[in-house]
Amino acid sequence: MAERNPNDARDAKVFALYAQLVEIEERLIPTGLHVFGRASSAGEKIDLLKMIASFDRPEAGVRALPENLVDEAVREFVRSGRDAAVRLLEQKGLSAEETRPAFTLLETVSAKLQTNNELDSLVRALRGEFIEPGPGADIIQNPDILPTGRNTHAINPYGVPSAAAFARSEAIANSLLDRYRQENGRYPEAMALVLWGLDNIKTQGEGVAQALWLLGTRPVRDTLNRTTNVEAIPLPELGRPRIDVVMTVSGIFRDLFSPTVQLLDKAVRLVAQLDEPFESNYVRKHVLQQVEQEACDQDDAAVRVFSNAPGNYGTNVNFMVMESQWEREETLGDLFVTRKCFAYGRDSKGRAIEGREARVAMDRALARVEATYQNIDTFEIGLTDVDHYFEYLGGVSKAVEKRAKSRPAIYLSDTLSRDVKIRTLEETVRLETRAKTLNPKWYEGMLKHGFRGVAEIENHVSNTFGWSATADAVDDWIYSEVANTFLFDESMLERLRDLNPHSAHSLVQRLLEANGRGYWDVDESVVNRLREIGRNLEDQLEGVA
Ligand code: BEZ
Ligand code: MG
């Protein structure tokens, strides 16, 4: 063997660092809020077109433009049009036949971005007039959502998961299991998945398809081409064990995807009945063990699809966190179960289970979980933009921690980059923080909106705090850098104070809470400085009142 160069280790570190910097640099972020009725600016348009041109779209006969040329080619397209851009890439050795379809797509998208019917449509809607329908989706995944200002329609649940979503999800499920195996040396026996309605609309059911893959099943269509059944993928073909999957679905998912809820429940019950060894079928293993050890009915032991009680929505974990109305973290997980312990599906005698309270069954299923997971599939909303990710994924993870007596591995997929990527929660929080909250391009974009912009910054920090409360997934440096960037920089503090002293005060309070609850270990002098800033803001607010 060749002798190891002493610089190899150093080079590997430098390359790893480089890869991380590129990851942050390439992350697409919203640089400001959408202004109702306003078309995109030139800069926003170039960024969007670049992303749109970065994906293969076999259904439209469009190949992605090469990563190293996409910036130059899209700029040329915006400057001089389609033919000029095709010629530029021809000079770089790419044939016109290959690249023209991409620019033809960009031409259509570009024209639609120019128009904005939102205000007109609103006025027409208020007059009770007809509004043209259009699909609801992520703009990069489905540019057909343009022009905006149409009446968003959803999906046919019997079409879910689409063939494309199912095919695409195999790699995601495999990457997820590979990541767990890298860290734990074996497959997880059970996982908890969060499924949302809007996400499965946007992706035609990628989240659903991932659950089916983990179970080792595939959808089957009936004579009317409706996805109403599932079949097991034979073990030799699957090449790995079937994973037990506990699904917590949102109220919106339950309402929009009623046939899909049935499909998922059917998949679990099918797998539980297969005559396969326990080491290849964790669903069967867990169900039969529970039946034997707890004198439990097989129907009850196979309940895996949970949501709110009929007519109810949400976990309320976000409200509890935001209002600081809790003492111990486990309360957050318990609240999640209280809200979500209603079973859906159909038992072996064909009787519908429609939101039957099943707290014991849920406690039992969560007690086996070793990893939790949610699919992130939008370019617009991430972990710290809204409080819903931590209420769901954080909530279920905290519930698992108490019931399994061990914190689960927590993962998110990223279908935002060219390659499917699985990240741990901690990695995703760091990436979101660097790409958004602490990124001047992001916060300056927000601050252009004045009062609302400061509220957005404060929201991001509070949502980040939600990940401390539910999953202890936030590094100390994140809170320190938030304080340095927004509060210990005199001129920034002055801007926040002038634009929105209420949110500036809430930001200080949230950081103090992070320290008080033990999530941010920092020198007492820093805490004192924050307290002083907080007192000054209170004085100012009282002066205003
Ligand atoms: C959903 O699409 O199911 C959903 C949206 C926002 C919050 C929670 C769930
Ligand atoms: Mg910590």
Side-chain angles (χ1 to χ4, degrees):
M1 248 175 75
E3 207 172 301
R4 255 181 93 77
N5 181 335
N7 287 335
D8 281 357
R10 185 202 60 188
D11 288 354
K13 277 199 180 137
V14 172
F15 279 125
L17 189 59
Y18 175 73
Q20 275 200 18
L21 288 175
V22 170
E23 182 173 52
I24 298 166
E25 187 192 352
E26 286 187 343
R27 188 94 171 162
L28 190 75
I29 56 162
T31 50
L33 301 167
H34 175 64
V35 178
F36 193 79
R38 204 205 70 191
S40 351
S41 70
E44 288 163 354
K45 193 163 138 180
I46 289 179
D47 282 346
L48 260 177
L49 294 179
K50 273 164 50 180
M51 287 307 293
I52 288 172
S54 296
F55 285 83
D56 284 330
R57 296 171 200 278
E59 70 284 359
V62 173
R63 289 274 304 276
L65 298 179
E67 205 167 347
N68 55 340
L69 294 173
V70 69
D71 183 67
E72 202 183 340
V74 168
R75 283 177 194 282
E76 180 66 8
F77 165 80
V78 170
R79 212 173 19 244
S80 317
R82 181 185 71 171
D83 293 343
V86 170
R87 273 197 305 278
L88 173 84
L89 290 182
E90 256 180 334
Q91 286 159 17
K92 314 253 175 193
L94 294 169
S95 75
E97 292 82 71
E98 197 179 332
T99 62
R100 193 174 287 115
F103 292 109
T104 305
L105 171 69
L106 294 191
E107 248 178 359
T108 316
V109 171
S110 182
K112 287 182 184 167
L113 278 171
Q114 222 56 53
T115 63
N116 186 301
N117 302 329
E118 291 166 5
L119 274 173
D120 282 353
S121 295
L122 177 64
V123 171
R124 282 196 290 122
L126 291 173
R127 284 201 211 109
E129 291 175 18
F130 174 74
I131 310 297
E132 191 195 338
D138 181 284
I139 184 169
I140 289 155
Q141 289 174 20
N142 182 4
D144 285 344
I145 68 155
L146 295 172
T148 56
R150 288 184 294 168
N151 190 1
T152 307
H153 64 71
I155 199 162
N156 167 14
Y158 286 108
V160 161
S162 69
F166 189 71
R168 196 175 146 70
S169 296
E170 181 178 11
I172 303 175
N174 286 341
S175 304
L176 180 60
L177 294 176
D178 284 348
R179 180 80 206 243
Y180 184 91
R181 283 206 309 163
Q182 273 167 27
E183 282 157 11
N184 300 278
R186 60 173 177 80
Y187 287 100
E189 288 204 12
M191 297 189 59
L193 266 53
V194 172
L195 295 174
W196 282 356
L198 300 180
D199 294 31
N200 281 283
I201 289 173
K202 279 182 278 194
T203 62
Q204 308 268 313
E206 273 184 22
V208 173
Q210 291 161 17
L212 294 178
W213 273 112
L214 291 169
L215 289 164
T217 57
R218 62 166 73 93
V220 175
R221 288 169 191 266
D222 66 13
T223 48
L224 297 173
N225 201 29
R226 301 180 316 165
T227 309
T228 47
N229 215 339
V230 283
E231 65 185 16
I233 299 168
L235 282 175
E237 191 183 324
L238 191 63
R240 59 161 170 84
R242 303 184 193 279
I243 312 299
D244 191 352
V245 182
V246 186
M247 290 158 273
T248 52
V249 317
S250 70
I252 297 180
F253 185 101
R254 171 203 59 203
D255 293 352
L256 292 178
F257 288 103
S258 173
T260 317
V261 165
Q262 297 298 330
L263 192 79
L264 291 167
D265 174 71
K266 216 176 203 177
V268 172
R269 291 176 196 277
L270 169 78
V271 168
Q273 283 170 17
L274 298 171
D275 185 12
E276 291 172 344
F278 281 179
E279 69 270 17
S280 304
N281 184 334
Y282 297 133
V283 183
R284 181 173 180 76
K285 173 179 173 184
H286 298 152
V287 169
L288 293 192
Q289 283 181 347
Q290 191 176 338
V291 168
E292 192 181 301
Q293 291 163 11
E294 295 163 31
C296 168
D297 192 297
Q298 177 146 345
D299 275 342
D300 291 337
V303 170
R304 292 293 183 278
V305 186
F306 298 93
S307 188
N308 297 86
N312 274 332
Y313 301 86
T315 72
N316 292 356
V317 169
N318 46 342
F319 302 130
M320 199 181 246
V321 170
M322 290 304 181
E323 303 295 324
S324 308
Q325 294 297 317
W326 51 286
E327 298 282 330
R328 288 158 37 173
E329 284 89 3
E330 67 172 52
T331 319
L332 302 171
D334 291 343
L335 177 61
F336 180 89
V337 174
T338 300
R339 295 284 299 171
K340 286 283 170 188
C341 68
F342 297 83
Y344 289 82
R346 201 169 280 282
D347 70 15
S348 57
K349 298 185 187 68
R351 288 177 303 214
I353 311 166
E354 286 181 73
R356 183 205 298 158
E357 185 165 3
R359 179 182 269 275
V360 174
M362 188 173 194
D363 281 342
R364 198 65 195 80
L366 291 178
R368 302 185 194 98
V369 166
E370 296 177 307
T372 59
Y373 166 71
Q374 185 164 1
N375 183 38
I376 293 207
D377 51 32
T378 171
F379 290 85
E380 290 169 321
I381 297 171
L383 278 195
T384 57
D385 291 295
V386 292
D387 53 7
H388 299 304
Y389 284 108
F390 80 74
E391 69 156 321
Y392 272 85
L393 185 63
V396 75
S397 301
K398 190 48 82 180
V400 167
E401 183 175 332
K402 177 173 167 185
R403 287 152 187 80
K405 300 189 176 57
S406 168
R407 182 186 185 274
I410 310 174
Y411 298 112
L412 293 128
S413 63
D414 180 352
T415 42
L416 311 186
S417 30
R418 280 177 191 250
D419 317 309
V420 170
K421 201 157 185 178
I422 301 293
R423 293 195 185 88
T424 62
L425 173 62
E426 291 80 353
E427 288 167 348
T428 315
V429 170
R430 280 179 210 125
L431 179 59
E432 284 271 309
T433 303
R434 289 184 169 120
K436 287 183 187 153
T437 320
L438 295 175
N439 177 355
K441 206 171 164 182
W442 180 85
Y443 62 71
E444 289 297 345
M446 287 298 155
L447 288 173
K448 287 197 189 108
H449 296 275
F451 185 90
R452 183 66 225 160
V454 185
E456 281 297 321
I457 293 170
E458 188 275 320
N459 257 338
H460 273 71
V461 176
S462 284
N463 292 332
T464 305
F465 171 89
W467 290 112
S468 282
T470 57
D472 193 20
V474 185
D475 303 334
D476 293 314
W477 70 260
I478 290 181
Y479 292 115
S480 296
E481 284 307 306
V482 166
N484 289 337
T485 305
F486 297 109
L487 301 169
F488 297 159
D489 175 319
E490 282 295 328
S491 68
M492 179 58 83
L493 177 59
E494 209 171 292
R495 286 169 74 193
L496 301 191
R497 204 164 34 203
D498 290 347
L499 291 170
N500 183 343
H502 303 277
S503 292
H505 181 250
S506 302
L507 178 59
V508 174
Q509 292 307 111
R510 195 63 79 190
L511 289 175
L512 288 172
E513 186 179 2
N515 172 258
R517 291 194 189 263
Y519 306 145
W520 178 29
D521 184 15
V522 71
D523 204 84
E524 196 55 24
S525 64
V526 172
V527 180
N528 286 332
R529 207 170 152 194
L530 276 177
R531 287 202 188 102
E532 195 191 320
I533 294 172
R535 276 193 300 272
N536 290 340
L537 283 162
E538 275 153 35
D539 289 346
Q540 182 185 340
L541 286 168
E542 271 168 31
V544 170

